[in-house]
Coordinates of all heavy atoms in Angstrom, one line a residue:
G93 N 15.2 -4.8 26.2 CA 15.1 -5.8 25.2 C 14.1 -6.9 25.4 O 14.1 -7.9 24.7
Q94 N 13.3 -6.7 26.5 CA 12.4 -7.8 26.8 C 11.1 -7.8 25.9 O 10.6 -8.9 25.6 CB 11.9 -7.6 28.2 CG 12.9 -7.9 29.3 CD 12.4 -7.7 30.7 OE1 11.6 -6.8 30.8 NE2 12.9 -8.4 31.6
T95 N 10.7 -6.6 25.5 CA 9.5 -6.5 24.7 C 9.8 -6.8 23.3 O 10.5 -6.1 22.6 CB 8.9 -5.1 24.8 OG1 8.9 -4.8 26.1 CG2 7.6 -5.1 24.2
A96 N 9.2 -7.9 22.8 CA 9.4 -8.2 21.4 C 8.3 -7.5 20.6 O 7.1 -7.6 21.0 CB 9.3 -9.7 21.2
G97 N 8.6 -6.8 19.6 CA 7.6 -6.2 18.7 C 6.8 -7.3 18.1 O 7.4 -8.3 17.7
L98 N 5.5 -7.2 17.9 CA 4.8 -8.3 17.3 C 4.8 -8.3 15.8 O 4.5 -9.3 15.2 CB 3.3 -8.3 17.8 CG 3.1 -8.5 19.3 CD1 1.7 -8.4 19.7 CD2 3.7 -9.9 19.7
V99 N 5.0 -7.1 15.3 CA 4.9 -7.0 13.8 C 6.3 -6.6 13.2 O 7.0 -5.7 13.6 CB 3.9 -5.8 13.5 CG1 3.7 -5.7 12.0 CG2 2.6 -6.1 14.1
K100 N 6.6 -7.4 12.1 CA 7.8 -7.1 11.4 C 7.6 -7.0 9.9 O 6.6 -7.6 9.5 CB 8.8 -8.2 11.7 CG 9.3 -8.3 13.1 CD 10.6 -9.2 13.2 CE 11.1 -9.1 14.6 NZ 10.2 -9.5 15.7
A101 N 8.4 -6.4 9.2 CA 8.3 -6.3 7.8 C 8.5 -7.7 7.2 O 9.3 -8.5 7.7 CB 9.2 -5.3 7.2
S102 N 7.8 -8.0 6.1 CA 8.0 -9.3 5.5 C 7.8 -9.2 4.0 O 6.6 -9.2 3.6 CB 7.1 -10.3 6.2 OG 7.2 -11.6 5.5
G103 N 8.8 -9.1 3.3 CA 8.7 -9.0 1.8 C 8.1 -7.7 1.4 O 8.1 -6.7 2.1
R104 N 7.6 -7.7 0.2 CA 7.2 -6.5 -0.4 C 5.8 -6.0 -0.1 O 5.5 -4.8 0.0 CB 7.2 -6.6 -2.0 CG 8.6 -7.0 -2.4 CD 8.5 -7.3 -3.9 NE 9.9 -7.7 -4.3 CZ 10.1 -8.2 -5.5 NH1 9.2 -8.2 -6.4 NH2 11.4 -8.5 -5.8
K105 N 4.9 -7.0 0.1 CA 3.5 -6.6 0.3 C 3.0 -6.9 1.7 O 1.9 -6.6 2.0 CB 2.6 -7.3 -0.7 CG 2.8 -6.9 -2.1 CD 1.8 -7.7 -2.9 CE 1.8 -7.3 -4.4 NZ 0.9 -8.2 -5.2
M106 N 3.8 -7.6 2.5 CA 3.2 -8.2 3.7 C 4.0 -7.7 5.0 O 5.1 -7.2 4.9 CB 3.4 -9.7 3.7 CG 2.9 -10.4 2.4 SD 1.2 -10.3 2.2 CE 0.7 -11.8 3.0
E107 N 3.3 -7.9 6.1 CA 3.8 -7.7 7.4 C 3.6 -9.0 8.2 O 2.6 -9.6 8.0 CB 3.1 -6.6 8.1 CG 3.5 -5.2 7.8 CD 2.7 -4.1 8.3 OE1 1.8 -4.4 9.2 OE2 2.9 -3.0 7.9
K108 N 4.6 -9.3 9.0 CA 4.5 -10.6 9.8 C 4.1 -10.3 11.2 O 4.7 -9.5 11.9 CB 5.8 -11.3 9.7 CG 5.6 -12.7 10.4 CD 7.0 -13.4 10.5 CE 7.3 -14.0 9.1 NZ 8.6 -14.7 9.2
F109 N 3.0 -10.9 11.6 CA 2.6 -10.8 13.0 C 3.0 -12.1 13.7 O 2.5 -13.2 13.2 CB 1.1 -10.6 13.1 CG 0.5 -10.5 14.5 CD1 0.3 -9.3 15.1 CD2 0.2 -11.7 15.2 CE1 -0.2 -9.2 16.4 CE2 -0.3 -11.6 16.5 CZ -0.5 -10.4 17.1
S110 N 3.8 -12.1 14.7 CA 4.1 -13.3 15.4 C 4.2 -13.2 16.9 O 4.6 -12.1 17.4 CB 5.4 -13.9 14.9 OG 6.4 -12.9 14.9
V111 N 3.7 -14.2 17.5 CA 3.6 -14.2 19.0 C 3.9 -15.6 19.5 O 3.5 -16.5 18.8 CB 2.3 -13.6 19.5 CG1 1.1 -14.4 19.1 CG2 2.3 -13.3 20.9
S112 N 4.5 -15.7 20.7 CA 4.6 -17.0 21.3 C 4.2 -16.8 22.8 O 4.4 -15.8 23.3 CB 6.0 -17.6 21.1 OG 6.8 -16.9 22.0
V113 N 3.7 -17.9 23.3 CA 3.3 -17.8 24.7 C 3.6 -19.1 25.4 O 3.5 -20.2 24.8 CB 1.8 -17.4 24.8 CG1 0.9 -18.4 24.2 CG2 1.4 -17.1 26.2
N114 N 4.0 -19.0 26.7 CA 4.3 -20.2 27.4 C 3.1 -20.8 28.0 O 2.3 -20.2 28.7 CB 5.3 -19.8 28.6 CG 6.1 -20.9 29.0 OD1 5.5 -21.8 29.7 ND2 7.4 -20.9 28.7
I115 N 2.9 -22.1 27.6 CA 1.6 -22.8 28.0 C 2.0 -23.9 28.9 O 2.9 -24.7 28.6 CB 0.9 -23.3 26.7 CG1 0.5 -22.1 25.8 CG2 -0.3 -24.1 27.1 CD1 -0.5 -21.1 26.5
A116 N 1.2 -24.0 30.0 CA 1.5 -25.0 31.0 C 1.2 -26.4 30.4 O 0.5 -26.5 29.4 CB 0.6 -24.8 32.2
A117 N 1.7 -27.4 31.1 CA 1.5 -28.8 30.6 C 0.0 -29.1 30.5 O -0.8 -28.6 31.4 CB 2.1 -29.8 31.6
K118 N -0.4 -29.8 29.5 CA -1.8 -30.2 29.2 C -2.8 -29.0 29.1 O -4.0 -29.2 29.4 CB -2.3 -31.2 30.4 CG -1.3 -32.3 30.7 CD -1.3 -33.3 29.6 CE -0.3 -34.5 30.0 NZ 0.2 -35.2 28.8
S119 N -2.3 -27.8 28.8 CA -3.2 -26.7 28.7 C -3.3 -26.3 27.2 O -2.5 -26.7 26.4 CB -2.7 -25.5 29.5 OG -2.8 -25.8 30.8
S120 N -4.3 -25.5 27.0 CA -4.6 -25.1 25.6 C -4.6 -23.6 25.5 O -4.8 -22.8 26.4 CB -5.9 -25.7 25.1 OG -6.9 -25.1 25.8
V121 N -4.5 -23.1 24.2 CA -4.5 -21.7 24.0 C -5.3 -21.5 22.7 O -5.2 -22.3 21.7 CB -3.1 -21.1 23.9 CG1 -2.2 -21.8 22.8 CG2 -3.1 -19.6 23.6
T122 N -6.0 -20.3 22.6 CA -6.6 -19.9 21.3 C -6.2 -18.5 21.0 O -6.2 -17.6 21.9 CB -8.2 -19.9 21.5 OG1 -8.6 -21.2 21.9 CG2 -8.8 -19.5 20.2
F123 N -5.6 -18.3 19.8 CA -5.2 -17.0 19.4 C -6.2 -16.5 18.4 O -6.6 -17.2 17.5 CB -3.8 -17.1 18.6 CG -2.7 -17.6 19.4 CD1 -2.3 -18.9 19.2 CD2 -2.0 -16.8 20.3 CE1 -1.2 -19.4 19.9 CE2 -0.9 -17.3 21.0 CZ -0.5 -18.6 20.8
I124 N -6.6 -15.2 18.5 CA -7.5 -14.7 17.5 C -7.0 -13.3 17.1 O -6.8 -12.4 17.9 CB -8.9 -14.4 18.1 CG1 -9.5 -15.8 18.7 CG2 -9.9 -13.9 17.0 CD1 -10.8 -15.6 19.4
L125 N -6.7 -13.2 15.8 CA -6.2 -11.9 15.2 C -7.2 -11.4 14.2 O -7.7 -12.1 13.4 CB -4.9 -12.1 14.5 CG -4.3 -10.9 13.8 CD1 -3.8 -9.9 14.8 CD2 -3.1 -11.4 12.9
T126 N -7.5 -10.1 14.3 CA -8.5 -9.5 13.4 C -7.8 -8.3 12.7 O -7.1 -7.5 13.3 CB -9.7 -9.0 14.2 OG1 -10.2 -10.0 15.0 CG2 -10.8 -8.6 13.2
Y127 N -8.0 -8.2 11.4 CA -7.6 -7.0 10.7 C -8.5 -6.6 9.6 O -9.3 -7.4 9.1 CB -6.1 -7.2 10.2 CG -5.9 -8.3 9.2 CD1 -6.1 -8.1 7.8 CD2 -5.5 -9.5 9.6 CE1 -5.9 -9.1 6.9 CE2 -5.3 -10.6 8.7 CZ -5.5 -10.3 7.3 OH -5.3 -11.3 6.4
E128 N -8.4 -5.3 9.2 CA -9.3 -4.8 8.2 C -8.6 -4.0 7.1 O -7.5 -3.4 7.4 CB -10.4 -3.9 8.8 CG -11.3 -4.7 9.7 CD -12.3 -3.8 10.4 OE1 -12.1 -2.6 10.6 OE2 -13.4 -4.3 10.8

Side-chain angles (χ1 to χ4, degrees):
Q94 288 176 327
T95 311
L98 296 179
V99 183
K100 292 196 173 57
S102 173
R104 299 173 184 176
K105 291 184 176 175
M106 313 289 270
E107 279 172 7
K108 184 184 281 179
F109 178 95
S110 49
V111 64
S112 74
V113 62
N114 202 290
I115 298 297
K118 312 288 181 203
S119 290
S120 66
V121 56
T122 303
F123 300 101
I124 306 176
L125 175 72
T126 312
Y127 61 86
E128 290 176 338

